[in-house]
Amino acid sequence: MSKVMLSTTPVVLTTAGRAGLQERLASARRAAAGTDEGSAERQRFLAEITAMEDALRQSVAVEEVQEDPTIVELGDEVVVQDAVGAEETVRIVHPLEARQGADHISVDSPLARALLGHRPGERVLVDAPAGPYELTILDRRRLS
């Protein structure tokens, strides 16, 4: 499998993320079919369907994106430790995939933005809405 370099923010999905988006698409299609023609609700479903279809068409698998194994990137599972020693594992994913699990965080979130580009062993400052806090990156690995 060849790797691709992407210069813009692509729709990068894990295997589970792609499956979840396809399930959401099927559900939205069923819901749209059950609404009145021309209703605002139907128009909302049709807009969601179009957005999901476009995302799936433009998406690439996380395995297809060239990886730098030394830094945290979109498509990584990252283990972090807070100031009191508690560890947490998060998966940095595309926003369309973020709601598929409690440990999934959008690449656009304050936590992901703080982690991206940093290496295991580094401390990062997270500029969260509730206030800033520091974490240490313990490990990272590529999702599939």
Side-chain angles (χ1 to χ4, degrees), residues 25 28-29 43-58:
L25 177 58
R29 285 179 175 149
Q43 295 308 310
R44 184 180 57 79
F45 282 126
L46 293 176
E48 289 176 11
I49 289 167
T50 299
M52 287 186 278
E53 288 172 339
D54 288 347
L56 284 167
R57 202 173 19 262
Q58 298 169 14

Side-chain angles (χ1 to χ4, degrees), residues 92-116:
I92 302 174
V93 297
H94 188 277
L96 288 171
E97 189 175 343
R99 63 181 180 175
Q100 290 188 348
D103 62 345
H104 289 58
I105 61 168
S106 170
V107 67
D108 298 329
S109 70
L111 175 54
R113 287 193 312 260
L115 296 171
L116 291 170

Side-chain angles (χ1 to χ4, degrees), residues 66-120:
Q66 186 172 1
E67 172 187 10
D68 179 343
T70 66
I71 63 171
V72 175
E73 299 176 301
L74 171 65
D76 283 354
E77 181 176 76
V78 185
V79 181
V80 295
Q81 184 178 56
D82 66 17
V84 296
E87 292 183 15
E88 179 181 16
T89 300
V90 296
R91 295 167 175 235
I92 302 174
V93 297
H94 188 277
L96 288 171
E97 189 175 343
R99 63 181 180 175
Q100 290 188 348
D103 62 345
H104 289 58
I105 61 168
S106 170
V107 67
D108 298 329
S109 70
L111 175 54
R113 287 193 312 260
L115 296 171
L116 291 170
H118 291 278
R119 294 172 165 68

Side-chain angles (χ1 to χ4, degrees), residues 7 9-11 15 22 24 31 38 47 53 63-65 69-70 76 83 85 89 94 99 113 117 128 136:
S7 58
T9 305
V11 178
T15 302
Q22 289 169 332
R24 285 176 41 207
E53 288 172 339
E63 300 87 11
E64 295 176 40
V65 179
T70 66
D76 283 354
T89 300
H94 188 277
R99 63 181 180 175
R113 287 193 312 260
T136 300

